[in-house]
């Protein structure tokens, strides 16, 4: 059977392998002379029924020539699809191939001429699919495949793997993985080194999936690549360990794109969290280092840092301030450097960027200008350091996005800085800078603006000198922050001062103020110039107003939704009196009520806003208790008490809301400074009043003021006698000026007018107004008081210091 030996040269792989497929040996006449068991299984013919019969018996049209023409002996034939006839008569699609045997001598028609091999078409198609898949993995798959034996030596890799490694298999066969990729390292959380990974796979059988490797190709040094690799163990059917299979895929582009996306997400989360330009600049450096660059610096224009408008550009380089810098090599706990001036030499990338106004990329350095609305705000410099490669197009776009986000946040911070500075300046200018000395009280005050991002608010305080040596004390709070709150506060302070000059009682003053806030827009437009604007939150305005009289030592106060004051008596006992609350200004509908108490000389009164005693981590009750502890040491100097109160209540030097504190220590006028008389309401009282006043001035060494005082007393007492009933009271006060007061029971006030030469009267009050510094009228529950003040002579030593 030498002819069977020659048949082994044919390509009988897969289902058409002669060891497994149905085979029939034919002679030159096409008769079957050999029939295999597999042929009987496939077609159903036993050998005795088919041997000697023509091939057409089971394969009709078997003599049809095969595609491609005749074959020579030993040359494999193409595979043909035919319809075979089964022994039971049904049709069966088969795949057939023919292989001619060694040429037979002439006339040997019965000698074996060819071998016909057949298999079911389904089996062949399944095998061909598997073969196509294996062929694709070996030659067309983008995934790199490599096989290592049990000693972890390379035995085979596919075409994709060869492209990645850049060298032919014959040069790498037998090498270990760490020799193929020297210096490569595994991402954090996995074993270090490829050999270590493979040994673990061989030992445990547990695969490693989607392992990220960072390194360089052997044929492409200097360029960083990232591969996603998986490793799994190869085993024979009997369980023998054959080696390790590696599949790898270059995910550099995908990895970089994902990293850029992650960086943008992180930038959106972290950049611009505060309205602070320096803080935003530092956030940029924290986001970009080390994932994007080895070091990042941010330089801002000095004018922009101060809150001025960004510069549109022009000749000359602007002054720059380095506000943030971060490097890969910085320790994580390194504190940030404070801003400092920076300048660049001609020819540097930064100089070129400032000159051209555009992005500059040089080697591993990229400079991007910070712009808002087309105007230059500063520069951001990204540097890769010793990292391989330059910034590519995608990274340039990413840098542009980072810088654009930072520019928007910094521009918002710049605008806030400018408005905050303007509001703070406005508020400080509206608040009293130096309280004038008052004989009635000793004062000290503190104002602390908010550290809130919205800016300063509308807290204010004031000390207002009133007639009769009395003093008005006010503290208030406008809810909100920024210019609007500061402007509203200014209008309120002006209005309160104007109303206080009318000598209104505290409850009446708050009622007048509430009426202004409660006006309709039309009423405001008609002339209430001191009323808040239409954007004010009027329901958020609170106020406390108090009047202290150093002669009677009485203090009258009323509040509109404001915290009550603290009162410290001479023994150091601290109380917070339960004043009638009253609604915040502008609500209307409820009356305001005054509360009166006596404050002996040396008593301490503390007026404050809620920002002093209430915080994010402290309620009002705890704040009041802390303030009370400080005020119990009331004999300390007021300036020291103010500082101690701020240290105890606001230890970090800033409040979550604006905080105002006004400390007042009461005094009383010495009895030698006051002279008072009650006179009958009759004409003779005028002469008596003149005599009493002249005598008192002589005792006070103020005889120089006798003439003017006689005229003032004569006119005021005459008016009281003519137009009022009941007794008339005359009082002289020697304080910072000489005060003359005449009180009666009438509620009508005299009016200053210009009399003609024909009038017999009406000139007295006009004459009074020319002789005194100022004069006015105040009303009491029992009538009115007309008062007038005169300055002391230049050489007069002054009044004795008030008690307290």
């Amino acid at each position: 059977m030498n002819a069977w030996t020659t048949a082994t040269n044919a390509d009988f792989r897969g289902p058409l392998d002669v060891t497994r497929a149905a085979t029939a040996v034919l002679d030159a006449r096409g008769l079957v002379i050999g029939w295999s068991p597999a042929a009987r299984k496939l077609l159903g013919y036993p050998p005795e029924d088919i041997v000697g019969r023509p091939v057409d018996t089971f394969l009709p049209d078997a003599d049809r020539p095969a595609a491609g023409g005749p074959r020579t002996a030993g040359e494999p034939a193409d595979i043909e699809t035919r319809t075979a006839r089964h022994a039971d008569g049904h049709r069966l699609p088969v795949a057939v191939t023919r292989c001619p045997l060694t040429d037979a001598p002439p006339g040997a028609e019965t000698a074996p001429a060819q071998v016909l091999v057949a298999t079911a078409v389904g089996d062949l198609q399944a095998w061909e699919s598997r073969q196509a898949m294996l062929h694709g993995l070996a030659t067309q798959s983008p995934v790199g495949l490599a096989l290592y034996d049990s000693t972890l030596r390379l035995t085979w890799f596919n075409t994709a793997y060869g492209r990645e490694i850049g060298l032919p298999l014959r040069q790498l066969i037998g090498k270990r993985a760490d020799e193929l990729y020297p210096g490569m390292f595994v991402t954090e959380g996995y074993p270090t080194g490829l050999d270590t990974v493979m040994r673990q796979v061989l030992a445990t059988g547990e695969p490693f999936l989607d392992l990220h490797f960072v390194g360089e190709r052997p044929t492409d040094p200097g360029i960083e690549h990232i591969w996603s690799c998986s490793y799994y163990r190869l085993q024979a059917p009997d369980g023998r360990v054959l080696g390790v299979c590696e599949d790898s895929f270059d995910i550099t582009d995908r990895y970089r794109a994902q990293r850029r996306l992650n960086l943008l997400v992180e930038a959106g989360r972290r950049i611009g969290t505060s309205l602070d330009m320096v803080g935003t600049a530092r956030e940029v450096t924290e986001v970009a280092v080390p994932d994007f660059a080895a070091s990042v610096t941010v330089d801002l224009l000095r004018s922009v840092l101060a809150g001025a408008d960004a510069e549109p550009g022009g000749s000359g380089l602007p002054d720059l301030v380095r506000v943030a810098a971060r490097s890969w090599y910085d320790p994580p706990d390194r504190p940030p450097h404070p801003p400092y001036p920076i300048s660049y030499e001609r020819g540097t990338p930064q100089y070129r960027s400032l000159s051209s106004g555009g992005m500059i990329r040089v080697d591993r350095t990229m400079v991007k200008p910070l712009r808002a609305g087309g105007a230059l705000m500063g520069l951001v410099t990204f540097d890769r350091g010793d990292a391989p490669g330059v910034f590519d197009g995608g990274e340039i776009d990413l840098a542009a996005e980072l810088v654009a986000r930072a520019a928007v946040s910094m521009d918002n911070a710049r605008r806030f800085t400018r408005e905050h500075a303007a509001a703070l300046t406005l508020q400080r200018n509206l608040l009293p800078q130096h309280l004038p000395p008052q004989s009635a009280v000793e004062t000290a005050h503190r104002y602390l603006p908010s550290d809130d991002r919205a800016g300063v608010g509308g807290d204010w305080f004031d000390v207002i000198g009133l007639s009769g040596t009395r003093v008005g004390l006010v503290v208030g709070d406008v809810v909100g922050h920024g210019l609007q709150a500061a402007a509203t506060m200014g209008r309120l302070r002006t209005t309160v001062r104007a109303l206080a000059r009318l000598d209104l009682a505290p409850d009446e003053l708050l009622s007048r103020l509430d009426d202004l806030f409660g006006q309709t827009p039309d009423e405001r437009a008609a002339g209430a110039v001191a009323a808040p604007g239409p954007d004010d939150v009027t329901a958020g305005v609170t106020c406390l107003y108090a009047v202290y009289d150093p002669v009677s030592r009485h203090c009258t106060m009323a509040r509109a939704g404001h915290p009550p004051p603290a009162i410290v008596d001479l023994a150091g006992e601290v109380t917070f009196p339960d004043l009638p609350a009253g609604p915040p200004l502008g609500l209307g509908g409820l009356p305001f009520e005054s509360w009166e108490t006596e404050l002996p000389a040396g008593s301490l009164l503390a007026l404050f806003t809620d920002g002093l005693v209430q915080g994010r981590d402290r309620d009002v009750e705890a704040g009041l208790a802390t303030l009370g502890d400080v005020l119990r040491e009331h004999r300390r100097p007021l300036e020291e008490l103010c500082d101690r109160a701020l240290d105890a209540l606001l230890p970090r030097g800033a409040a979550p809301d604006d905080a105002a504190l006004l400390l007042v220590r009461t005094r009383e006028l010495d009895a030698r400074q006051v002279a008072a008389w009650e006179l009958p309401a009759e004409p003779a009282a005028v002469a008596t009043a003149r005599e009493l006043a002249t005598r008192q001035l002589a005792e006070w060494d103020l005889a120089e003021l006798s003439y003017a005082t006689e005229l003032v007393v004569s006119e005021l007492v005459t008016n009281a006698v003519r137009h009022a009933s009941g007794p008339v009271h005359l009082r002289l006060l020697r304080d910072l000026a000489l005060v003359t007061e005449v009180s009666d029971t009438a509620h009508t006030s005299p009016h200053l007018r210009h009399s003609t030469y024909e009038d017999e009267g009406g000139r007295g009050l006009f004459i009074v107004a020319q002789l005194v510094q100022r004069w006015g009228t105040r009303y009491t529950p029992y009538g009115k008081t007309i008062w007038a003040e005169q300055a002391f002579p230049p050489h007069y030593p002054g009044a004795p210091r008030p008690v307290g």
Side-chain angles (χ1 to χ4, degrees):
M1 301 295 289
N2 292 334
W4 288 98
T5 303
T6 60
T8 59
N9 293 326
D11 186 14
F12 293 149
R13 294 172 299 175
L16 292 176
D17 188 347
V18 294
T19 61
R20 293 183 290 121
T23 58
V25 181
L26 307 179
D27 60 15
R29 297 169 299 174
L31 299 179
V32 177
I33 60 174
W35 190 256
S36 70
R40 178 176 181 174
K41 182 178 179 181
L42 177 65
L43 298 174
Y45 296 97
E48 59 270 19
D49 290 345
I50 194 64
V51 172
R53 299 183 64 180
V55 69
D56 291 349
T57 305
F58 66 90
L59 195 63
D61 302 324
D63 56 349
R64 177 164 54 87
R71 299 292 193 275
T72 60
E75 182 182 0
D78 289 338
I79 299 174
E80 306 173 43
T81 301
R82 297 290 180 89
T83 301
R85 183 185 295 113
H86 196 272
D88 61 10
H90 77 270
R91 304 290 181 171
L92 177 68
V94 295
V96 178
T97 187
R98 303 165 185 262
C99 182
L101 301 176
T102 305
D103 292 338
E109 296 179 349
T110 60
Q114 60 179 321
V115 175
L116 186 146
V117 182
T119 188
V121 170
D123 294 341
L124 178 64
Q125 290 176 342
W127 176 80
E128 287 178 337
S129 297
R130 291 193 297 270
Q131 290 299 103
M133 178 191 68
L134 294 175
H135 183 268
L137 288 175
T139 61
Q140 299 177 7
S141 172
V143 178
L145 294 173
L147 300 180
Y148 295 84
D149 61 18
S150 58
T151 64
L152 302 183
R153 302 287 179 176
L154 182 68
T155 61
W156 175 87
F157 58 67
N158 68 349
T159 302
Y161 194 93
R163 285 195 303 267
E164 288 294 324
I165 205 166
L167 295 173
L169 179 61
R170 63 178 178 275
Q171 295 184 19
L172 304 176
I173 197 85
K175 290 186 177 292
R176 305 178 70 89
D178 285 344
E179 296 174 321
L180 299 176
Y181 294 99
M184 187 178 241
F185 60 93
V186 182
T187 51
E188 185 177 356
Y190 293 95
T192 56
L194 296 177
D195 277 359
T196 304
V197 172
M198 292 187 182
R199 287 195 191 96
Q200 188 167 338
V201 171
L202 279 178
T204 65
E206 294 293 329
F208 275 95
L209 304 177
D210 195 26
L211 215 60
H212 288 184
F213 289 83
V214 181
E216 302 174 4
R217 292 174 176 172
T219 58
D220 195 14
I223 304 299
E224 183 181 270
H225 284 261
I226 299 93
W227 288 272
S228 172
C229 300
S230 297
Y231 297 88
Y232 46 92
R233 190 168 69 181
L234 298 176
Q235 291 182 255
D238 59 4
R240 287 181 296 111
V241 176
L242 303 177
V244 175
C245 180
E246 174 194 65
D247 62 56
S248 61
F249 186 72
D250 190 332
I251 60 169
T252 303
D253 293 340
R254 187 183 74 187
Y255 179 84
R256 289 175 179 171
Q258 184 63 47
R259 187 174 64 177
R260 293 166 189 163
L261 179 60
N262 293 342
L263 199 64
L264 285 177
V265 172
E266 185 71 4
R269 187 178 66 87
R270 297 180 59 183
I271 294 178
T273 59
S274 66
L275 288 172
D276 177 30
M277 285 183 282
V278 174
T280 300
R282 289 171 179 166
E283 290 165 352
V284 173
T285 63
E286 292 169 358
V287 168
V289 176
D291 291 336
F292 183 71
S295 65
V296 177
T297 60
V298 181
D299 308 321
L300 293 181
L301 274 63
R302 185 182 299 276
S303 58
V304 170
L305 190 59
D309 289 335
E311 298 186 5
S315 60
L317 297 183
D319 291 337
L320 293 175
V321 177
R322 173 68 52 81
V323 295
R326 190 174 183 86
S327 171
W328 168 281
Y329 306 103
D330 292 338
D333 56 348
R334 182 185 69 83
H337 294 292
Y340 59 90
I342 190 74
S343 61
Y344 293 102
E345 298 293 333
R346 185 181 299 273
T348 60
Q350 292 84 357
Y351 186 97
R352 292 166 55 191
S353 179
L354 287 172
S355 301
S356 65
M359 185 271 293
I360 300 295
R361 181 180 61 173
V362 178
D363 296 331
R364 295 179 174 89
T365 301
M366 176 171 50
V367 182
K368 295 283 293 185
L370 268 167
R371 293 190 173 278
L376 180 67
M377 297 180 63
L379 297 174
V380 182
T381 302
F382 302 92
D383 195 293
R384 305 207 80 147
D386 298 331
V390 298
F391 292 101
D392 58 24
E395 290 169 326
I396 293 175
D397 292 341
L398 176 59
E401 180 66 23
L402 288 176
V403 172
R405 288 174 183 256
V408 171
S409 298
M410 289 184 183
D411 190 47
N412 290 336
R414 178 193 63 80
R415 295 173 185 271
F416 167 76
T417 299
R418 181 175 61 185
E419 180 174 334
H420 183 275
L424 189 59
T425 301
L426 174 62
Q427 188 176 45
R428 285 175 174 170
N429 289 338
L430 291 174
L431 288 172
Q433 303 300 309
H434 302 285
L435 294 178
Q438 301 285 340
S439 58
V441 293
E442 176 192 359
T443 62
H445 57 87
R446 293 292 185 273
Y447 170 75
L448 197 63
S450 169
D451 65 350
D452 191 272
R453 294 183 300 174
V456 298
D459 290 16
W460 91 95
F461 60 90
D462 208 348
V463 177
I464 308 167
L466 303 176
S467 65
T469 70
R470 297 170 306 128
V471 64
L473 309 170
V474 61
V475 63
D477 185 2
V478 178
V479 173
H481 294 85
L483 283 172
Q484 189 64 47
T488 302
M489 177 272 290
R491 291 194 294 269
L492 273 170
R493 179 170 177 258
T494 301
T495 305
V496 170
R497 290 186 70 88
L499 294 176
R501 297 293 185 184
L502 298 177
D503 281 313
L504 299 176
D507 57 341
E508 187 176 353
L509 182 143
L510 292 181
S511 296
R512 297 277 188 93
L513 202 61
D514 183 65
D515 289 341
L516 292 177
F517 270 81
Q519 285 180 342
T520 65
D522 292 338
E523 290 173 333
R524 292 177 184 171
V529 294
D535 295 331
D536 291 330
V537 185
T538 57
V541 178
T542 65
C543 183
L544 170 66
Y545 180 65
V547 175
Y548 174 70
D549 186 344
V551 177
S552 65
R553 302 186 304 277
H554 283 187
C555 182
T556 306
M557 60 186 72
R559 62 181 177 131
H562 200 83
I567 299 178
V568 187
D569 62 19
L570 300 182
E573 183 68 25
V574 181
T575 59
F576 296 90
D578 186 18
L579 305 184
L585 296 177
L587 293 184
L590 295 175
F592 298 97
E593 299 180 41
S594 290
W595 179 83
E596 186 173 344
T597 187
E598 182 176 349
L599 297 178
S603 300
L604 186 63
L605 187 65
L607 288 74
F608 51 87
T609 59
D610 57 4
L612 181 71
V613 295
Q614 185 175 11
R616 297 187 181 96
D617 54 353
R618 182 184 62 234
D619 59 23
V620 174
E621 295 300 326
L624 293 177
T626 302
L627 178 61
D629 292 339
V630 174
L631 297 180
R632 285 188 180 91
E633 302 183 39
H634 65 107
R635 299 193 183 277
R636 292 179 179 271
L638 294 186
E639 295 291 337
E640 181 182 344
L641 281 178
C642 282
D643 292 335
R644 291 169 66 89
L646 293 187
D647 290 341
L649 292 163
L650 307 171
R652 292 181 295 277
D657 192 9
D658 286 16
L661 172 64
L662 176 63
L663 294 184
V664 178
R665 180 172 284 137
T666 62
R667 296 168 176 166
E668 64 178 341
L669 290 186
D670 190 276
R672 296 169 297 172
Q673 296 175 255
V674 182
W677 303 274
E678 181 179 306
L679 304 172
E682 57 188 29
V686 177
T688 304
R690 286 197 302 265
E691 181 181 354
L692 292 172
T694 302
R695 188 186 308 154
Q696 185 63 50
L697 292 181
E699 292 181 9
W700 286 344
D701 295 326
L702 289 173
E704 293 183 37
L705 301 180
S706 295
Y707 177 73
T709 305
E710 285 183 10
L711 290 177
V712 170
V713 170
S714 179
E715 176 62 28
L716 297 183
V717 174
T718 298
N719 285 338
V721 170
R722 286 180 179 178
H723 304 292
S725 60
V728 176
H729 292 83
L730 171 64
R731 186 168 73 163
L732 298 181
L733 302 174
R734 183 171 54 119
D735 188 30
L736 301 177
L738 177 64
V739 181
T740 303
E741 295 182 346
V742 174
S743 303
D744 57 46
T745 57
H747 289 83
T748 58
S749 176
H751 297 285
L752 181 67
R753 61 189 178 92
H754 296 276
S755 301
T756 68
Y757 70 92
E758 297 177 350
D759 293 332
E760 296 182 358
R763 298 178 180 86
L765 200 56
F766 177 79
I767 295 174
V768 170
Q770 309 308 309
L771 295 175
V772 300
Q773 293 184 121
R774 62 190 185 111
W775 70 279
T777 304
R778 70 173 180 268
Y779 294 91
T780 68
Y782 311 104
K784 69 176 183 298
T785 298
I786 301 177
W787 55 269
E789 288 185 3
Q790 298 178 71
F792 291 132
H795 61 275
Y796 187 66
R801 181 178 178 83
V803 178

